[in-house]
Amino acid sequence: MNAHNKPNAPVLDSYWMPFTANRQFKAAPRLLAAAEGMYYTSADGRRVLDGTAGLWCVNAGHGRRQIAAAVERQLTQMDFAPSFQMGHPIAFDFAERLAEIAPGPDGAKLDRIFYTGSGSESVDTALKIAIAYQRAIGQGTRTRLIGRERGYHGVGFGGISVGGIINNRRVFPQLPGSDHLRHTHDLAKNAFVKGQPEHGAELADDLERLVALHGAETIAACIVEPVAGSTGVLIPPKGYLERLRAICDKHGILLIFDEVITGFGRLGASFATNYFGVTPDLVTTAKGLTNGAIPMGAVFSSRKVHDALMHGPENAIEIFHGYTYSGHPAACAAGIATLDIYRDEGLLTRAAELEDDWQNAMHSLKGLPHIIDIRTIGLIAGIELASRDGAPGTRAYDVFVDCFEKGLLIRVTGDIIAFSPPLIAEKQHFEDIVSILGDALKRAA
C-alpha cells in the first residue's frame, strides 16, 4: 500500500509546495518520514539512500544528536531575542567561530559576518552591501549588477535578476540594469571531464564586454557561483575565476561568490574560495551552515567592504538592512554544533579524500543509455541525459521517480541529474548509487 493511501496519511490539499508540480506530486506523493546518517526512511517504511545531502545542505549526515541537543538547550534558555539595536552572546560567539574558518587566505579572510535566514536572503544582502559599499566610497553611480547565464542565486528579486535560469525569471520582473555573462558549459570541448575543464577561461572576458557596453562607473558587483549547482553542476574552466577576479580589480567591481552550495566542505576545502585559490569580496552561504537543521544564512565580507561602511556619526545605522531572524539564537546554536562536528570529524576536507573514488564511480556510468556528459568535482556530480524529442526534462524525471522507488534520492534539473551526498559517505554508498542509477537508466526509454 502506498503511503498516501494509508488511513493516517496526511491530507495534501492545503500545502502549496515550492518548486514542485503540485498536481502531479499529490496524485502520487513521495513522502519522507525519518532520517539517520546517510538514509531517509520513506512514509511507507523503505530506506532511501540520500544522494543529495537533503538539498545540498545536510553535509554531516542526518539525525546528528549533537545539533539537536544544542538547539534544545538554547530554546530552553532563550528562544528568541531581537538583533536590531540589541544583541545576544551566542550570535557573537558563532560569528567568531565562522571568522576562524572564513573564506580567503590567512591575513585576508572575509571575516565580517552578516546573518540572514536563507541563501536567497544572503544573495540579496550581498547585493545590497555591494551597492552600499560603492556609495560609501563615492561611487554612487555604480548600481548595476552582473550575474551569469544559467546561474542560480535564490528567489528574491535581486537573486532572480542576477540569476540566469529562465524559468526562475519568466513570470517575474527583474531589477533594472542587471546583465549577464555567458555561461561556461561547453559539451563539444569539455564532455566527461574530471575536475576543471581545460577550455573556456576566455569566457570571463564577457565582463570586459559588459564594461564596454555599460561603463565601469555603472557596475557595482559581479556575482557567480564558483561551481554552478542548481543548473546542473557547471564547473569553472581552468583560469576562469582568476581572470574574472583580475577584471573586477581592474574596473573597481566587487566580486561575489555564491557559495550556498559549495561552502562548508563540498569540494574538499572549507570553501570553494580556498579550493580555487581565488578570493572574492563577499561570499554568500546557507545550507551547510547549520547542516540544514535550522534555516540560516550568512554573508562573509572582506574588511575592506565592511570598514568602508563604518564611517559617519557613531550613532548612525551603517546599513539599513536586516531580518527579524538575523542571528536567531537557536540557529546559532545549531551552527556552532555543526562547526564542532565538521572540526572533530574532519568533514571540511573529507571530500578531498573521497574525490578519486567518487569520480571513478560516477564516470563508470559512461556508456549507459542516454548519458551525454558526466561532470565531477569534489563530492559533486552532474550527469547530463539526452532529452526526449519535444519533452525536455521528462527522461530525468522518470529516472528520479524510478530511483526513489528503488531506494535512492537523486536531484534533477531539466535532464541533468545532480549528486551531492553527505560528506560522511563511504565507498559502498557510491557503489550503491551507481548500481541503482545504472539500472534506472537502462530502464528509461
Side-chain angles (χ1 to χ4, degrees):
M1 179 179 290
N2 291 332
H4 60 283
N5 291 326
K6 289 184 177 180
N8 61 346
V11 176
L12 306 179
D13 294 345
S14 297
Y15 179 24
W16 191 347
M17 299 172 66
F19 281 113
T20 299
N22 278 251
R23 291 162 295 171
Q24 180 187 59
F25 176 88
K26 292 173 182 180
R30 297 169 295 278
L31 300 176
L32 302 170
E36 186 73 23
M38 286 290 299
Y39 293 89
Y40 282 105
T41 301
S42 68
D44 55 353
R46 296 178 299 106
R47 280 213 318 172
V48 179
L49 176 59
D50 184 2
T52 61
L55 197 58
W56 308 88
C57 52
V58 188
N59 291 356
H62 296 277
R64 300 304 298 242
R65 304 292 188 266
Q66 188 172 341
I67 299 174
V71 171
E72 181 183 20
R73 284 194 303 270
Q74 181 57 52
L75 288 174
T76 302
Q77 179 179 341
M78 182 176 68
D79 53 355
F80 175 82
S83 290
F84 298 177
Q85 302 286 12
M86 293 294 297
H88 50 276
I90 196 168
F92 295 94
D93 293 344
F94 187 29
E96 288 301 309
R97 290 288 303 277
L98 289 171
E100 292 173 4
I101 64 163
D106 290 341
K109 288 182 178 293
L110 279 60
D111 59 1
R112 295 297 182 259
I113 318 298
F114 196 108
Y115 291 124
T116 72
S118 68
S120 294
E121 290 183 0
S122 289
V123 166
D124 278 19
T125 296
L127 297 177
K128 291 176 76 173
I129 289 174
I131 291 172
Y133 164 81
Q134 298 288 9
R135 184 182 179 89
I137 65 168
Q139 297 288 315
T141 60
R142 291 181 180 262
T143 58
R144 192 179 304 277
L145 302 166
I146 306 299
R148 188 168 59 189
E149 294 171 358
R150 295 188 65 173
Y152 179 71
H153 301 293
V155 295
F157 278 103
I160 64 170
S161 298
V162 293
I165 297 178
I166 293 173
N167 284 339
N168 290 328
R169 299 160 52 88
R170 181 168 278 134
V171 176
F172 309 106
Q174 280 96 62
L175 297 179
S178 57
D179 210 335
H180 298 78
L181 311 170
R182 284 176 294 169
H183 66 73
T184 61
H185 189 33
D186 189 340
L187 267 177
K189 293 181 179 179
N190 294 325
F192 297 99
V193 170
K194 297 179 181 180
Q196 289 186 265
E198 294 291 336
H199 305 284
E202 70 281 357
L203 291 167
D205 294 343
D206 259 16
L207 186 54
E208 290 280 17
R209 176 179 61 83
L210 295 179
V211 167
L213 175 65
H214 299 297
E217 73 279 1
T218 71
I219 302 174
C222 176
I223 181 170
V224 297
E225 300 158 277
V227 176
S230 295
T231 195
V233 184
L234 306 186
I235 300 167
K238 292 178 180 177
Y240 174 87
L241 294 174
E242 292 87 343
R243 208 152 163 171
L244 201 59
R245 174 73 274 183
I247 295 169
C248 286
D249 288 341
K250 175 182 174 182
H251 295 291
I253 299 167
L254 292 187
L255 180 59
I256 305 170
F257 279 178
D258 185 338
E259 292 221 41
V260 170
I261 282 175
T262 55
F264 303 102
R266 183 50 53 189
L267 300 185
S270 53
F271 295 91
T273 294
N274 303 78
Y275 180 92
F276 292 114
V278 179
T279 304
D281 301 288
L282 296 161
V283 166
T284 66
T285 67
K287 294 189 184 292
L289 182 67
T290 63
N291 201 47
I294 300 283
M296 192 183 202
V299 176
F300 290 75
S301 170
S302 68
R303 294 193 184 187
K304 176 187 79 172
V305 171
H306 170 271
D307 292 351
L309 294 171
M310 298 298 138
H311 292 289
E314 289 190 0
N315 65 335
I317 295 172
E318 292 90 1
I319 183 167
F320 275 79
H321 178 70
Y323 305 96
T324 298
Y325 298 114
S326 292
H328 190 284
C332 290
I336 291 172
T338 297
L339 292 187
D340 288 344
I341 292 170
Y342 289 160
R343 178 198 62 206
D344 296 344
E345 299 183 14
L347 295 184
L348 294 182
T349 56
R350 190 160 190 271
E353 303 165 16
L354 297 170
E355 187 170 34
D356 287 345
D357 287 338
W358 173 248
Q359 291 188 346
N360 291 336
M362 292 294 101
H363 284 271
S364 73
L365 294 163
K366 183 178 180 180
L368 288 184
H370 316 301
I371 292 179
I372 60 175
D373 190 22
I374 299 172
R375 305 180 283 275
T376 52
I377 190 169
L379 210 57
I380 304 175
I383 300 174
E384 189 159 351
L385 308 182
S387 296
R388 292 171 178 155
D389 290 342
T394 59
R395 175 169 284 135
Y397 178 80
D398 287 348
V399 171
F400 161 70
V401 173
D402 190 346
C403 284
F404 180 74
E405 291 174 350
K406 300 301 187 293
L408 172 65
L409 180 63
I410 67 175
R411 173 149 172 74
V412 296
T413 175
D415 273 309
I416 300 172
I417 299 166
F419 283 107
S420 57
L423 303 176
I424 62 169
E426 302 287 349
K427 186 176 180 180
Q428 181 60 53
H429 298 121
F430 303 161
E431 294 171 358
D432 292 343
I433 288 171
V434 166
S435 176
I436 297 172
L437 176 61
D439 288 345
L441 287 167
K442 293 172 186 175
R443 288 188 291 267

